Amino acid sequence: GFRKLRTIVSKKKRRFIDGPFDLDLAYVTDRIIAMGAPCQGVEAVFRNPLSQVRGFFDTRHAGHYKVFNLCSERHGDVFAGFPRVEHYPMDDHNPCPL
């Protein structure tokens, strides 16, 4: 399906590919995961599909995760299905506010 397109978009970055999951995601430590924001619709073809992100956390970290959304452009409905979310908006490719 879309696995080849996601690989092209990711370029040389590693992706988390395991079973049904093909995500732009990396374990920073065993308790911290960095990933691109989940998407719906056409964007989900080449970015992290919301359904896969939810499935990943519900399967591998059920009841033991919190999402820290650092993206200023994405909030609201995309994160509505996650039990615990905090939003710290930062513009992409810019330093974070002090």
Side-chain angles (χ1 to χ4, degrees), residues 3-4 7 13 28-29 34 42 45-46 49 51 55-56 62 73-74 76 86 88:
R3 186 165 279 182
K4 184 170 180 134
T7 301
K13 295 180 210 134
V28 178
T29 71
V42 175
V45 171
F46 53 92
S51 60
F56 171 81
E73 299 88 10
R74 299 184 188 281
E86 288 198 33
Y88 298 94

PDB file of all heavy atoms in Angstrom, residues 3-4 7 13 28-29 34 42 45-46 49 51 55-56 62 73-74 76 86 88:
ATOM      1  N   ARG A   3       3.275   1.978   2.195  1.00  0.00           N
ATOM      2  CA  ARG A   3       4.567   1.825   2.884  1.00  0.00           C
ATOM      3  C   ARG A   3       5.711   2.417   2.056  1.00  0.00           C
ATOM      4  O   ARG A   3       6.570   3.107   2.578  1.00  0.00           O
ATOM      5  CB  ARG A   3       4.821   0.361   3.206  1.00  0.00           C
ATOM      6  CG  ARG A   3       6.063   0.158   4.048  1.00  0.00           C
ATOM      7  CD  ARG A   3       6.108  -1.200   4.637  1.00  0.00           C
ATOM      8  NE  ARG A   3       5.252  -1.175   5.818  1.00  0.00           N
ATOM      9  CZ  ARG A   3       5.077  -2.196   6.632  1.00  0.00           C
ATOM     10  NH1 ARG A   3       5.663  -3.337   6.385  1.00  0.00           N
ATOM     11  NH2 ARG A   3       4.300  -2.104   7.675  1.00  0.00           N
ATOM     12  N   LYS A   4       5.713   2.169   0.757  1.00  0.00           N
ATOM     13  CA  LYS A   4       6.789   2.681  -0.104  1.00  0.00           C
ATOM     14  C   LYS A   4       6.776   4.209  -0.125  1.00  0.00           C
ATOM     15  O   LYS A   4       7.825   4.844  -0.035  1.00  0.00           O
ATOM     16  CB  LYS A   4       6.666   2.117  -1.513  1.00  0.00           C
ATOM     17  CG  LYS A   4       7.810   2.529  -2.407  1.00  0.00           C
ATOM     18  CD  LYS A   4       7.813   1.775  -3.701  1.00  0.00           C
ATOM     19  CE  LYS A   4       8.981   2.232  -4.532  1.00  0.00           C
ATOM     20  NZ  LYS A   4       9.721   1.176  -5.118  1.00  0.00           N
ATOM     21  N   THR A   7       8.176   5.597   3.092  1.00  0.00           N
ATOM     22  CA  THR A   7       9.626   5.428   3.110  1.00  0.00           C
ATOM     23  C   THR A   7      10.302   6.523   2.286  1.00  0.00           C
ATOM     24  O   THR A   7      11.317   7.084   2.696  1.00  0.00           O
ATOM     25  CB  THR A   7      10.015   4.037   2.572  1.00  0.00           C
ATOM     26  OG1 THR A   7       9.384   3.043   3.385  1.00  0.00           O
ATOM     27  CG2 THR A   7      11.514   3.827   2.598  1.00  0.00           C
ATOM     28  N   LYS A  13      15.639   8.665   7.224  1.00  0.00           N
ATOM     29  CA  LYS A  13      15.264   8.487   8.625  1.00  0.00           C
ATOM     30  C   LYS A  13      14.731   7.079   8.846  1.00  0.00           C
ATOM     31  O   LYS A  13      14.073   6.509   7.984  1.00  0.00           O
ATOM     32  CB  LYS A  13      14.189   9.497   9.022  1.00  0.00           C
ATOM     33  CG  LYS A  13      14.660  10.920   8.982  1.00  0.00           C
ATOM     34  CD  LYS A  13      13.532  11.834   9.393  1.00  0.00           C
ATOM     35  CE  LYS A  13      13.672  13.156   8.706  1.00  0.00           C
ATOM     36  NZ  LYS A  13      12.475  13.650   8.130  1.00  0.00           N
ATOM     37  N   VAL A  28      13.265   7.396  22.315  1.00  0.00           N
ATOM     38  CA  VAL A  28      14.395   8.168  22.805  1.00  0.00           C
ATOM     39  C   VAL A  28      14.986   7.432  24.006  1.00  0.00           C
ATOM     40  O   VAL A  28      16.189   7.298  24.140  1.00  0.00           O
ATOM     41  CB  VAL A  28      13.963   9.601  23.186  1.00  0.00           C
ATOM     42  CG1 VAL A  28      15.121  10.400  23.752  1.00  0.00           C
ATOM     43  CG2 VAL A  28      13.345  10.306  21.978  1.00  0.00           C
ATOM     44  N   THR A  29      14.108   6.976  24.890  1.00  0.00           N
ATOM     45  CA  THR A  29      14.435   6.063  25.987  1.00  0.00           C
ATOM     46  C   THR A  29      13.306   5.040  26.014  1.00  0.00           C
ATOM     47  O   THR A  29      12.365   5.129  25.213  1.00  0.00           O
ATOM     48  CB  THR A  29      14.511   6.776  27.361  1.00  0.00           C
ATOM     49  OG1 THR A  29      13.189   7.148  27.776  1.00  0.00           O
ATOM     50  CG2 THR A  29      15.414   7.999  27.316  1.00  0.00           C
ATOM     51  N   ALA A  34       9.530   9.927  20.532  1.00  0.00           N
ATOM     52  CA  ALA A  34       9.389  11.113  19.698  1.00  0.00           C
ATOM     53  C   ALA A  34       8.760  10.677  18.384  1.00  0.00           C
ATOM     54  O   ALA A  34       9.123   9.638  17.832  1.00  0.00           O
ATOM     55  CB  ALA A  34      10.750  11.758  19.449  1.00  0.00           C
ATOM     56  N   VAL A  42      -5.910  12.682   3.497  1.00  0.00           N
ATOM     57  CA  VAL A  42      -4.842  12.523   2.515  1.00  0.00           C
ATOM     58  C   VAL A  42      -3.466  12.570   3.169  1.00  0.00           C
ATOM     59  O   VAL A  42      -2.568  11.823   2.796  1.00  0.00           O
ATOM     60  CB  VAL A  42      -4.952  13.615   1.411  1.00  0.00           C
ATOM     61  CG1 VAL A  42      -3.777  13.541   0.461  1.00  0.00           C
ATOM     62  CG2 VAL A  42      -6.261  13.467   0.661  1.00  0.00           C
ATOM     63  N   VAL A  45      -1.601   9.409   4.273  1.00  0.00           N
ATOM     64  CA  VAL A  45      -0.945   8.549   3.290  1.00  0.00           C
ATOM     65  C   VAL A  45       0.572   8.621   3.453  1.00  0.00           C
ATOM     66  O   VAL A  45       1.262   7.629   3.338  1.00  0.00           O
ATOM     67  CB  VAL A  45      -1.354   8.954   1.850  1.00  0.00           C
ATOM     68  CG1 VAL A  45      -0.510   8.229   0.821  1.00  0.00           C
ATOM     69  CG2 VAL A  45      -2.825   8.689   1.629  1.00  0.00           C
ATOM     70  N   PHE A  46       1.103   9.814   3.748  1.00  0.00           N
ATOM     71  CA  PHE A  46       2.552   9.965   3.835  1.00  0.00           C
ATOM     72  C   PHE A  46       3.039  10.396   5.223  1.00  0.00           C
ATOM     73  O   PHE A  46       4.228  10.542   5.431  1.00  0.00           O
ATOM     74  CB  PHE A  46       3.074  10.923   2.760  1.00  0.00           C
ATOM     75  CG  PHE A  46       2.398  12.266   2.727  1.00  0.00           C
ATOM     76  CD1 PHE A  46       2.913  13.324   3.446  1.00  0.00           C
ATOM     77  CD2 PHE A  46       1.252  12.447   1.971  1.00  0.00           C
ATOM     78  CE1 PHE A  46       2.293  14.559   3.415  1.00  0.00           C
ATOM     79  CE2 PHE A  46       0.631  13.687   1.923  1.00  0.00           C
ATOM     80  CZ  PHE A  46       1.152  14.742   2.657  1.00  0.00           C
ATOM     81  N   PRO A  49      -0.586   7.897  10.259  1.00  0.00           N
ATOM     82  CA  PRO A  49      -2.045   7.813  10.289  1.00  0.00           C
ATOM     83  C   PRO A  49      -2.551   7.746  11.736  1.00  0.00           C
ATOM     84  O   PRO A  49      -2.016   6.998  12.560  1.00  0.00           O
ATOM     85  CB  PRO A  49      -2.357   6.507   9.565  1.00  0.00           C
ATOM     86  CG  PRO A  49      -1.104   6.131   8.847  1.00  0.00           C
ATOM     87  CD  PRO A  49       0.019   6.741   9.620  1.00  0.00           C
ATOM     88  N   SER A  51      -5.095   6.389  13.062  1.00  0.00           N
ATOM     89  CA  SER A  51      -5.527   5.053  13.492  1.00  0.00           C
ATOM     90  C   SER A  51      -4.335   4.185  13.914  1.00  0.00           C
ATOM     91  O   SER A  51      -4.414   3.449  14.902  1.00  0.00           O
ATOM     92  CB  SER A  51      -6.310   4.356  12.385  1.00  0.00           C
ATOM     93  OG  SER A  51      -5.507   4.219  11.224  1.00  0.00           O
ATOM     94  N   GLY A  55      -3.580   2.882  17.683  1.00  0.00           N
ATOM     95  CA  GLY A  55      -3.382   1.438  17.825  1.00  0.00           C
ATOM     96  C   GLY A  55      -2.047   1.114  18.469  1.00  0.00           C
ATOM     97  O   GLY A  55      -1.962   0.227  19.329  1.00  0.00           O
ATOM     98  N   PHE A  56      -1.005   1.821  18.072  1.00  0.00           N
ATOM     99  CA  PHE A  56       0.325   1.609  18.644  1.00  0.00           C
ATOM    100  C   PHE A  56       0.305   1.842  20.155  1.00  0.00           C
ATOM    101  O   PHE A  56       0.746   0.998  20.928  1.00  0.00           O
ATOM    102  CB  PHE A  56       1.339   2.540  17.978  1.00  0.00           C
ATOM    103  CG  PHE A  56       2.678   2.551  18.641  1.00  0.00           C
ATOM    104  CD1 PHE A  56       3.603   1.563  18.381  1.00  0.00           C
ATOM    105  CD2 PHE A  56       3.008   3.546  19.554  1.00  0.00           C
ATOM    106  CE1 PHE A  56       4.850   1.558  19.005  1.00  0.00           C
ATOM    107  CE2 PHE A  56       4.237   3.557  20.173  1.00  0.00           C
ATOM    108  CZ  PHE A  56       5.159   2.556  19.904  1.00  0.00           C
ATOM    109  N   ALA A  62      -0.807   0.632  26.702  1.00  0.00           N
ATOM    110  CA  ALA A  62      -2.189   0.856  27.150  1.00  0.00           C
ATOM    111  C   ALA A  62      -2.235   1.395  28.583  1.00  0.00           C
ATOM    112  O   ALA A  62      -1.696   0.799  29.509  1.00  0.00           O
ATOM    113  CB  ALA A  62      -2.988  -0.439  27.056  1.00  0.00           C
ATOM    114  N   GLU A  73       0.735  23.904  14.867  1.00  0.00           N
ATOM    115  CA  GLU A  73      -0.236  23.805  13.779  1.00  0.00           C
ATOM    116  C   GLU A  73      -1.283  22.715  13.996  1.00  0.00           C
ATOM    117  O   GLU A  73      -2.332  22.744  13.383  1.00  0.00           O
ATOM    118  CB  GLU A  73       0.483  23.524  12.450  1.00  0.00           C
ATOM    119  CG  GLU A  73       1.458  24.593  12.023  1.00  0.00           C
ATOM    120  CD  GLU A  73       2.853  24.379  12.587  1.00  0.00           C
ATOM    121  OE1 GLU A  73       3.111  23.299  13.148  1.00  0.00           O
ATOM    122  OE2 GLU A  73       3.683  25.294  12.486  1.00  0.00           O
ATOM    123  N   ARG A  74      -0.991  21.739  14.843  1.00  0.00           N
ATOM    124  CA  ARG A  74      -1.901  20.604  14.986  1.00  0.00           C
ATOM    125  C   ARG A  74      -2.380  20.482  16.426  1.00  0.00           C
ATOM    126  O   ARG A  74      -1.593  20.334  17.336  1.00  0.00           O
ATOM    127  CB  ARG A  74      -1.203  19.313  14.591  1.00  0.00           C
ATOM    128  CG  ARG A  74      -0.743  19.325  13.163  1.00  0.00           C
ATOM    129  CD  ARG A  74      -0.152  17.990  12.784  1.00  0.00           C
ATOM    130  NE  ARG A  74       0.451  18.053  11.475  1.00  0.00           N
ATOM    131  CZ  ARG A  74      -0.219  17.997  10.333  1.00  0.00           C
ATOM    132  NH1 ARG A  74      -1.510  17.858  10.342  1.00  0.00           N
ATOM    133  NH2 ARG A  74       0.412  18.070   9.186  1.00  0.00           N
ATOM    134  N   GLY A  76      -6.474  19.895  18.764  1.00  0.00           N
ATOM    135  CA  GLY A  76      -7.910  19.673  18.656  1.00  0.00           C
ATOM    136  C   GLY A  76      -8.290  18.258  18.303  1.00  0.00           C
ATOM    137  O   GLY A  76      -7.893  17.315  18.971  1.00  0.00           O
ATOM    138  N   GLU A  86      -1.214  17.153  26.621  1.00  0.00           N
ATOM    139  CA  GLU A  86      -0.853  18.524  26.968  1.00  0.00           C
ATOM    140  C   GLU A  86      -0.305  19.179  25.713  1.00  0.00           C
ATOM    141  O   GLU A  86       0.359  18.539  24.907  1.00  0.00           O
ATOM    142  CB  GLU A  86       0.194  18.553  28.085  1.00  0.00           C
ATOM    143  CG  GLU A  86      -0.407  18.151  29.416  1.00  0.00           C
ATOM    144  CD  GLU A  86       0.450  18.570  30.589  1.00  0.00           C
ATOM    145  OE1 GLU A  86       1.110  19.627  30.507  1.00  0.00           O
ATOM    146  OE2 GLU A  86       0.448  17.823  31.568  1.00  0.00           O
ATOM    147  N   TYR A  88       1.938  22.216  24.085  1.00  0.00           N
ATOM    148  CA  TYR A  88       2.973  23.227  24.232  1.00  0.00           C
ATOM    149  C   TYR A  88       3.361  23.679  22.819  1.00  0.00           C
ATOM    150  O   TYR A  88       4.298  23.148  22.229  1.00  0.00           O
ATOM    151  CB  TYR A  88       4.201  22.661  24.962  1.00  0.00           C
ATOM    152  CG  TYR A  88       3.894  22.212  26.363  1.00  0.00           C
ATOM    153  CD1 TYR A  88       3.573  20.888  26.636  1.00  0.00           C
ATOM    154  CD2 TYR A  88       3.914  23.125  27.415  1.00  0.00           C
ATOM    155  CE1 TYR A  88       3.282  20.477  27.928  1.00  0.00           C
ATOM    156  CE2 TYR A  88       3.625  22.724  28.715  1.00  0.00           C
ATOM    157  CZ  TYR A  88       3.313  21.398  28.958  1.00  0.00           C
ATOM    158  OH  TYR A  88       3.020  20.992  30.240  1.00  0.00           O
TER     159      TYR A  88
END
